[in-house]
Amino acid sequence: MTELFDMPSDLQHSYLGLVALHLREALIPVLAGLLVALPVAQVCVRVRWLYPPLLWVTTVLYAIPSLAFFVVLIDYTGLSETTVMIPLAVYSLVVLVPAIVDGVRSVPQETLAAATAMGFGPVRRYVQVQLPIAAPAIIAGLRVASVSSISLVSVGMLIGNEGALGNLLNSGLSYNQPRLVWLSVVGTAVLAVLVDALLVVLRLLVTPWMPRGTRKNTRTRVMKEAAR
């Protein structure tokens, strides 16, 4: 059994090390994208005319192949994890910004009026009222962005062996070892399923008041928005 997880020496990581590297390269960009998307989405909610051009820009950036991003970034960040993570953070914006905007816009006006009457300023109202109510849409966006990011990390194998589990795919083809290919493919799929399941649990914890049908419809709406 241990032979199944024996790694070639040139990978410089154990299998668990590659798993940890894969998660780091995939989830840090999503977190960074979320931190950028939260204030950007609020600006789009308050300045409505800004949302369509901003969404167009993020969509255009999403359409740029990752390899083209790598070529541009290598001169500045070298053959490093950062070169892989920056495009993934940019790609996450095309999912997270619409998810947050839709979620915040779904907050009833009477709720906002009540918060204002209680003395809540714009920032406090956004953080304590709008974001909690928008949580289902935000987590649905995080699910799509996280699974997408986990799958795209493997492309990093093309630059300086920075593809984490994707490196196994390259090594398996180079050394003609199908087990490495399967470890790469199955490992990536399992990580995506586990991260998605954890986000589902998080959604259940923070939105116990939501009926199941509403949760499902929220994620479907986010996926349709991301596909546009």
Side-chain angles (χ1 to χ4, degrees):
M1 186 65 179
T2 56
E3 294 180 356
L4 176 63
F5 295 98
D6 285 344
M7 298 291 104
S9 58
D10 59 332
L11 292 181
Q12 301 178 349
H13 286 284
S14 65
Y15 185 72
L16 291 179
L18 289 174
V19 170
L21 179 63
H22 201 101
L23 286 174
R24 183 169 76 240
E25 290 186 0
L27 299 184
I28 289 179
V30 175
L31 178 60
L34 178 63
L35 294 177
V36 172
L38 286 171
V40 168
Q42 175 64 355
V43 172
C44 290
V45 171
R46 297 178 67 86
V47 186
R48 288 183 173 269
W49 62 265
L50 187 61
Y51 180 52
L54 183 64
L55 187 60
W56 180 84
V57 170
T58 58
T59 303
V60 169
L61 290 174
Y62 189 82
I64 299 176
S66 54
L67 286 178
F69 257 126
F70 294 160
V71 170
V72 173
L73 292 172
I74 283 174
D75 289 338
Y76 304 96
T77 56
L79 301 176
S80 64
E81 293 179 29
T82 306
T83 304
V84 177
M85 291 192 287
I86 290 176
L88 296 182
V90 173
Y91 292 156
S92 69
L93 293 177
V94 77
V95 176
L96 295 176
V97 171
I100 298 172
V101 170
D102 288 347
V104 171
R105 284 180 176 175
S106 68
V107 178
Q109 287 299 317
E110 54 269 24
T111 302
L112 297 178
T116 303
M118 293 173 63
F120 283 37
V123 175
R124 186 181 177 190
R125 186 172 61 236
Y126 181 56
V127 173
Q128 296 187 8
V129 178
Q130 291 173 293
L131 288 184
I133 295 177
I138 296 173
I139 294 177
L142 282 173
R143 291 177 65 187
V144 177
S146 297
V147 171
S148 175
S149 186
I150 288 172
S151 67
L152 288 173
V153 164
S154 297
V155 182
M157 69 180 178
L158 300 175
I159 58 155
N161 212 29
E162 294 294 345
L165 287 176
N167 296 342
L168 287 177
L169 181 62
N170 186 47
S171 296
L173 296 175
S174 298
Y175 300 136
N176 193 27
Q177 293 191 32
R179 80 178 167 86
L180 296 180
V181 175
W182 282 107
L183 284 174
S184 174
V185 174
V186 174
T188 302
V190 169
L191 283 183
V193 171
L194 289 177
V195 169
D196 186 64
L198 288 175
L199 288 171
V200 169
V201 172
L202 176 63
R203 184 193 61 192
L204 294 173
L205 292 175
V206 301
T207 61
W209 38 268
M210 283 192 64
R212 292 185 178 181
T214 305
R215 293 178 181 138
K216 186 181 296 185
N217 292 337
T218 300
R219 190 186 185 206
T220 301
R221 185 175 66 251
V222 171
M223 294 181 69
K224 288 181 179 179
E225 188 71 28
R228 292 178 182 175

